[in-house]
Amino acid sequence: WWQVLSGDCCPISLTPLEELTIDPFGLLGTSTESPEALPKEGIWGNAAEVIVCSDQSQTVHWFDGMFLASFLVSSGQLIDPVNRRSLSRGECKSLDDYLSAHSLP
């Protein structure tokens, strides 16, 4: 399904999304810092396909999930690298679930 994202690339690895061998991991592009308004989870798997195919007007920042995880660990900052918004606990848990589901370290 992510081949429809052709022309976009991971902002960390600069890999074109259509060249990824596994689905990308998405973070909602909301800019709020209010803990109550933060997204409850990251976007991947069936949820990502639904968002992309339904042509919703939500802004999603798509990443090579492995590079996003590496960025978060190496920088020591749990933020969306695109807009520097703090990530919610649920988004971090979703990324961990994504890595586990794809057998990534």
Side-chain angles (χ1 to χ4, degrees), residues 33-74:
E33 285 296 327
S34 168
E36 301 81 34
L38 288 174
K40 303 293 184 231
E41 58 188 13
I43 304 165
W44 65 283
N46 291 337
E49 187 172 3
V50 168
I51 285 177
V52 168
C53 294
S54 68
D55 196 33
Q56 296 181 2
S57 61
Q58 296 177 340
T59 300
V60 178
H61 301 152
W62 296 106
F63 300 91
D64 177 324
M66 179 79 163
F67 275 84
L68 176 60
S70 179
F71 167 84
L72 297 176
V73 171
S74 65

Side-chain angles (χ1 to χ4, degrees), residues 10-13 25 27 63-81 87 92 95-96 98-99 104-105:
C10 171
I12 301 169
S13 69
F25 184 86
L27 296 171
F63 300 91
D64 177 324
M66 179 79 163
F67 275 84
L68 176 60
S70 179
F71 167 84
L72 297 176
V73 171
S74 65
S75 71
Q77 296 182 316
L78 301 179
I79 59 171
D80 179 336
L87 299 182
C92 294
L95 181 57
D96 189 48
Y98 169 92
L99 295 171
L104 298 170

Side-chain angles (χ1 to χ4, degrees), residues 11-29:
I12 301 169
S13 69
L14 302 180
T15 302
L17 295 176
E18 69 270 16
E19 292 181 13
L20 295 178
T21 56
I22 58 174
D23 58 318
F25 184 86
L27 296 171
L28 282 178

